[in-house]
Amino acid sequence: MSAEHPMSAEPPMIPVRPIASEPTGLHLRDGENGASVTVSFYDQVGGREFFQKLITEFYRGVADDPVLKPMYPEDDLGPATERFTMFLEQYWGGPGTYSEQRGHPRLRMRHQPFKVNPDARDRWLGHMKNALDSMELPPLHYETLWSYLERAAHAMVNTFDE
Ligand code: HEM
């Protein structure tokens, strides 16, 4: 029998790593010796620099949002930018620093203190779309990231109260 408390379990609809249909690894032949190497989605989009730029841009939008900004416990959005960047890096095959520092993501549980209603979700997604549009990603990479973020944001809704 599992000893885990039911409230601490991450619901299955928010995956903590890419689902099978997401093209996260590109298999290439190494020109030197013919060995196969796998390039993670993280590396394909440009590694840490890409995610840092994306999330910095995203939080620029959040900083001006009258509904979202007051939800953030710290006035300075720098630490929140770093946590979200680390999470996405880890999710897409980069370094596992997020879990080393923060433990298991348990994202729905971590969002419980905040009122994530459909309005908050749509605002969040609007800022994310603006940020993603500014990155000039190839269409497949754009769609892969966007469909993940859209699904995750819908799964994060925890109230329908206005
Ligand atoms: C749907 C609307 C959402 C709202 C309104 C929202 C709001 C927030 C707030 C207020 C925080 C606390 C700031 C902090 O301490 O870092 C937070 C943290 C975080 N959010 Fe969201 N969020 C949303 C969706 C998402 C989604 C879809 C993801 C993932 C794809 C995500 C990933 C994170 C992560 C990784 C953290 C930091 C968790 C930690 O380690 O403490 N959020 N979010």
Side-chain angles (χ1 to χ4, degrees), residues 72 83 87 98 102 110-111 114 116 124 148 152-153 156:
Y72 286 80
R83 284 189 283 271
F87 171 80
Y98 177 86
R102 309 287 298 162
R110 288 192 203 261
H111 286 76
F114 314 118
V116 187
W124 190 99
Y148 159 71
M156 215 64 82

Side-chain angles (χ1 to χ4, degrees), residues 8 16-17 72 76 84 98 123 130-131 140-141 147 153-154 160:
S8 69
V16 294
R17 58 186 68 80
Y72 286 80
D76 174 11
F84 196 8
Y98 177 86
R123 287 170 176 272
N130 288 341
L140 175 63
H141 293 82
S147 74
H154 277 75
F160 288 90

Side-chain angles (χ1 to χ4, degrees), residues 89-109:
E89 284 187 293
Q90 174 171 307
Y91 184 91
W92 292 104
T97 324
Y98 177 86
S99 282
E100 278 162 30
Q101 293 188 8
R102 309 287 298 162
H104 191 286
R106 300 195 195 290
L107 284 188
R108 256 187 79 84
M109 200 183 79

Side-chain angles (χ1 to χ4, degrees), residues 59 68-77 79-80 83 110 113-114:
Y59 274 118
L68 298 184
K69 178 63 177 63
M71 284 191 201
Y72 286 80
E74 296 155 302
D75 209 34
D76 174 11
L77 292 174
R83 284 189 283 271
R110 288 192 203 261
F114 314 118

